Amino acid sequence: MFDVTPLDPLVRPLVLAAAEVYYKHTQPWFIALALHGSAYKGGYIPGCSDIDFKLFLRGEALSFYGELPLEIGQAIQEDLSRIDPAPFQYFQTYILTVEAGGNRPDDWSRPIPGTYHMLAGKLPAQEMSETETLEKCRATLKRLPKAISEPAEDMLHHGAGKLERSVRFLCTSVWPILYSYISIETGQPFAIWSLPKDKVLALLPENQALGQAIRHFHKQISSYFSQPHTTRAALQTISAGVHFLQLIDERLHTQPTWTQQRELMSYQFH
């Protein structure tokens, strides 16, 4: 019942196996299951990227605390533990609910066209408009100062894989900020967000500092997760990511307004 035909052949069995687990344990309330992120668009980084799902259920599936009952979650986890997600790092799934009357909660994360694939069922929500997507991009860029400062704060911690997690969490800042920045520059958020990472970073000229910085980070992060982790490699990767974020921050404070930039720029999309 799950449509995995648009996916990379390497990704299909992993997505299908996980999808069957989610459906098996939530069938009485199941509405739809969507895949989004690099597992769908391509450009995933082996050992680093995750497989992202959105599981749509009827509201009565959740407990008083707003989550699946613990015993159902444990049964799902037991079955998922038998699936090796490699070359991805892990499965990440969020539940979004539809109440019995069919109303959609206000806090739903609405999808951006071109960034997701319905594995089963129909999307019970309205997609984001271009205006709403650009607003989301602006909100993302407002988090730049925190994204720049957090890695420095993390340097005070040690042990239990904290440094590795710092490298991984930096990706959750760098990539959304990259997509948001170029979306606003071009005024074409749907075109940008539907692209894999390598296609997006290719839009930044190789002979300019920003383009060089994001390519260096992409190379560092790919190398870090493809071999045994070392402290030196982790610190070099973090430095590369923070450097890129700092360059974005500088450009936001020194360049013309977004409207003026859009008039001056002419990116080509293929």
Side-chain angles (χ1 to χ4, degrees), residues 55-107:
L55 177 59
F56 299 89
L57 303 176
R58 294 200 300 275
E60 58 264 30
L62 305 188
S63 70
F64 172 79
Y65 300 101
E67 300 290 345
L68 281 176
L70 180 61
E71 59 272 18
I72 295 178
Q74 289 176 323
I76 290 174
Q77 180 59 219
E78 188 170 344
D79 283 351
L80 289 177
S81 69
R82 301 186 181 99
I83 306 170
D84 181 358
F88 294 85
Q89 192 171 97
Y90 53 82
F91 299 115
Q92 180 166 266
T93 303
Y94 292 103
I95 292 176
L96 301 172
T97 59
V98 174
E99 302 304 327
N103 296 321
R104 180 179 61 79
D106 292 335
D107 62 351

Side-chain angles (χ1 to χ4, degrees), residues 16-256:
L16 183 58
E20 289 175 342
V21 169
Y22 295 128
Y23 181 73
K24 170 185 173 182
H25 295 285
T26 64
Q27 183 176 358
W29 317 282
F30 184 88
I31 295 175
L33 181 66
L35 176 73
H36 61 103
S38 59
Y40 167 58
K41 297 189 298 181
Y44 62 85
I45 299 173
C48 176
S49 298
D50 52 18
I51 298 180
D52 295 296
F53 295 97
K54 288 182 180 177
L55 177 59
F56 299 89
L57 303 176
R58 294 200 300 275
E60 58 264 30
L62 305 188
S63 70
F64 172 79
Y65 300 101
E67 300 290 345
L68 281 176
L70 180 61
E71 59 272 18
I72 295 178
Q74 289 176 323
I76 290 174
Q77 180 59 219
E78 188 170 344
D79 283 351
L80 289 177
S81 69
R82 301 186 181 99
I83 306 170
D84 181 358
F88 294 85
Q89 192 171 97
Y90 53 82
F91 299 115
Q92 180 166 266
T93 303
Y94 292 103
I95 292 176
L96 301 172
T97 59
V98 174
E99 302 304 327
N103 296 321
R104 180 179 61 79
D106 292 335
D107 62 351
W108 265 23
S109 176
R110 293 165 55 200
I112 299 173
T115 65
Y116 70 97
H117 170 64
M118 297 306 299
L119 296 165
K122 295 182 178 180
L123 180 71
Q126 185 179 12
E127 294 178 327
M128 293 185 70
S129 67
E130 285 200 329
T131 299
E132 291 169 326
T133 305
L134 287 172
E135 282 302 313
K136 184 176 181 180
C137 290
R138 293 186 183 95
T140 296
L141 293 180
K142 288 180 180 178
R143 298 197 293 269
L144 253 174
K146 185 173 179 62
I148 292 170
S149 65
E150 278 186 336
E153 297 172 2
D154 289 346
M155 294 302 98
L156 303 180
H157 313 308
H158 173 64
K162 282 188 173 292
L163 184 59
E164 178 183 334
R165 287 198 294 274
S166 294
V167 176
R168 177 64 182 82
F169 289 157
L170 183 58
C171 292
T172 65
S173 294
V174 169
W175 300 125
I177 285 171
L178 170 66
Y179 276 78
S180 296
Y181 177 76
I182 298 184
S183 291
I184 295 175
E185 279 195 324
T186 62
Q188 300 184 51
F190 288 174
I192 298 302
W193 282 94
S194 63
L195 294 174
K197 297 181 186 70
D198 56 335
K199 299 292 185 182
V200 174
L201 64 86
L203 297 175
L204 294 175
E206 293 185 51
N207 61 349
Q208 294 182 10
L210 201 58
Q212 293 170 355
I214 191 58
R215 286 173 174 81
H216 180 54
F217 174 73
H218 187 256
K219 181 179 179 180
Q220 285 287 127
I221 203 76
S222 299
S223 174
Y224 179 75
F225 282 101
S226 67
Q227 55 192 331
H229 302 155
T230 66
T231 298
R232 178 177 293 275
L235 298 180
Q236 290 174 339
T237 303
I238 290 171
S239 293
V242 171
H243 177 58
F244 170 74
L245 296 176
Q246 289 172 330
L247 288 177
I248 290 284
D249 192 49
E250 290 174 7
R251 297 193 81 171
L252 293 181
H253 287 90
T254 60
Q255 285 197 335

